[in-house]
């Protein structure tokens, strides 16, 4: 039996009201955070906030700092090495970058290694992204152009290729250790200062934010 017209109007009005009060939080983060830590933290929070959408985009830390301070993003996850004027920050996590290679590669016998010693090796890299730009910048500072055999979309596929002896790669340590459970992968820490990054979660220091944004900021800061 068709529902009364008044009841249909109330339902339609309720749906429109729900859509009207939806909120979007603009979250910007670097590659390591997006690939490793953030998903496990965001999923339960988003599940508890059904009226909130997350606009998550990957950026380099200096871009994140500028966007959040200017109000173009609501929350950022960035390296402490970035300029942080105009930001309110809380510690998030420590991200370490390592070399991965096949267990038969000479790197597998090294306790650690400086980046310049591997810069002439054949590499695998990401197709694009903030971390890839960061790695290429370090090569530029050494006046070296890295030789890429292949560029892939995920760290997992890069680790698989490294284990197969295709080349070496720079990846976050936590991801490398996870991939070593299923691949014959060698992990060699990088000694360079840029390979260890203290990450912070940040919001604008001088701009008002919504209670929902504040709640997510505090949730991420508890990581």
């Amino acid at each position: 039996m068709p529902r009364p017209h008044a009841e249909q109007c109330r339902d339609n009005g309720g749906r429109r009201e729900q859509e009207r009060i939806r909120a979007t939080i603009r979250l910007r983060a670097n590659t390591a955070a997006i690939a490793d830590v953030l998903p496990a933290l965001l999923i339960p929070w988003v599940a508890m906030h059904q009226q909130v959408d997350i606009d998550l985009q990957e950026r380099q830390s200096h871009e994140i700092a500028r966007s959040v301070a200017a109000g173009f993003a609501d929350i950022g996850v960035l390296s402490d090495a970035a300029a942080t004027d105009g930001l309110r920050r809380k510690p998030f996590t420590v991200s370490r970058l390592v070399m991965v290679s096949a267990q038969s590669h000479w790197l597998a016998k090294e306790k650690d290694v400086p980046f310049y010693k591997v810069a002439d090796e054949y590499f695998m890299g990401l197709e694009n992204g903030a971390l890839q730009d960061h790695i290429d910048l370090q090569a530029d500072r050494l006046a070296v152009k890295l030789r890429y055999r292949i560029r892939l979309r995920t760290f997992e596929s890069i680790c698989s290729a490294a284990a197969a002896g295709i080349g070496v790669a720079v990846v976050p340590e936590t991801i490398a250790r996870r991939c070593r459970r299923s691949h014959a992968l060698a992990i060699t820490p990088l000694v360079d200062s840029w390979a260890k990054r203290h990450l912070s979660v940040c919001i604008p220091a001088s701009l008002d934010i919504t209670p929902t944004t504040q709640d997510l900021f505090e949730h991420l800061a508890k990581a």
Side-chain angles (χ1 to χ4, degrees):
M1 178 182 295
R3 292 185 298 168
H5 178 68
E7 183 180 342
Q8 290 181 342
C9 288
R10 283 196 301 271
D11 289 349
N12 291 338
R15 283 194 293 271
R16 286 195 296 270
E17 178 65 15
Q18 288 179 349
E19 290 299 319
R20 187 183 70 81
I21 64 175
R22 293 195 71 82
T24 298
I25 296 178
R26 300 165 297 176
L27 176 57
R28 305 293 179 260
N30 66 8
T31 309
I34 288 178
D36 188 24
V37 183
L38 269 179
L41 294 172
L42 283 175
I43 289 170
W45 190 91
V46 174
M48 292 178 62
H49 297 78
Q50 293 294 325
Q51 296 305 112
V52 181
D53 302 323
I54 304 295
D55 174 17
L56 176 60
Q57 295 184 24
E58 179 188 332
R59 294 288 186 273
Q60 291 195 42
S61 290
H62 67 275
E63 295 177 291
I64 296 169
R66 288 200 302 263
S67 293
V68 174
F72 297 124
D74 302 304
I75 301 177
V77 178
L78 75 174
S79 168
D80 282 359
T84 54
D85 294 341
L87 300 177
R88 178 187 167 202
R89 296 179 297 137
K90 288 191 175 184
F92 183 65
T93 191
V94 177
S95 173
R96 294 179 177 84
L97 298 175
V98 299
M99 298 299 306
V100 291
S101 63
Q103 292 182 346
S104 58
H105 195 278
W106 65 265
L107 266 176
K109 299 181 177 65
E110 300 296 315
K111 179 181 177 181
D112 51 40
V113 66
F115 187 59
Y116 77 86
K117 280 194 173 182
V118 297
D120 61 349
E121 295 287 323
Y122 283 105
F123 275 73
M124 283 86 59
L126 294 169
E127 290 183 348
N128 50 53
L131 178 57
Q132 190 60 57
D133 292 341
H134 181 60
I135 295 166
D136 290 339
L137 174 61
Q138 307 313 315
D140 289 343
R141 288 174 174 171
L142 295 173
V144 172
K145 184 174 178 59
L146 299 181
R147 299 179 297 175
Y148 287 101
R149 292 201 65 193
I150 188 170
R151 292 183 183 269
L152 300 164
R153 290 188 177 184
T154 68
F155 288 120
E156 288 74 12
S157 56
I158 286 175
C159 287
S160 176
I166 292 175
V168 302
V170 179
V171 303
E173 182 181 31
T174 51
I175 294 176
R177 292 191 181 282
R178 188 164 64 235
C179 289
R180 192 166 60 179
R181 299 171 190 167
S182 54
H183 298 288
L185 190 68
I187 300 173
T188 309
L190 283 163
V191 299
D192 306 80
S193 59
W194 58 264
K196 181 179 179 181
R197 296 175 296 170
H198 292 267
L199 303 186
S200 294
V201 56
C202 66
I203 53 176
S206 58
L207 300 174
D208 292 334
I209 64 172
T210 67
T212 305
T213 300
Q214 180 71 38
D215 186 79
L216 178 55
F217 171 67
E218 298 293 344
H219 171 76
L220 296 177
K222 293 176 183 177

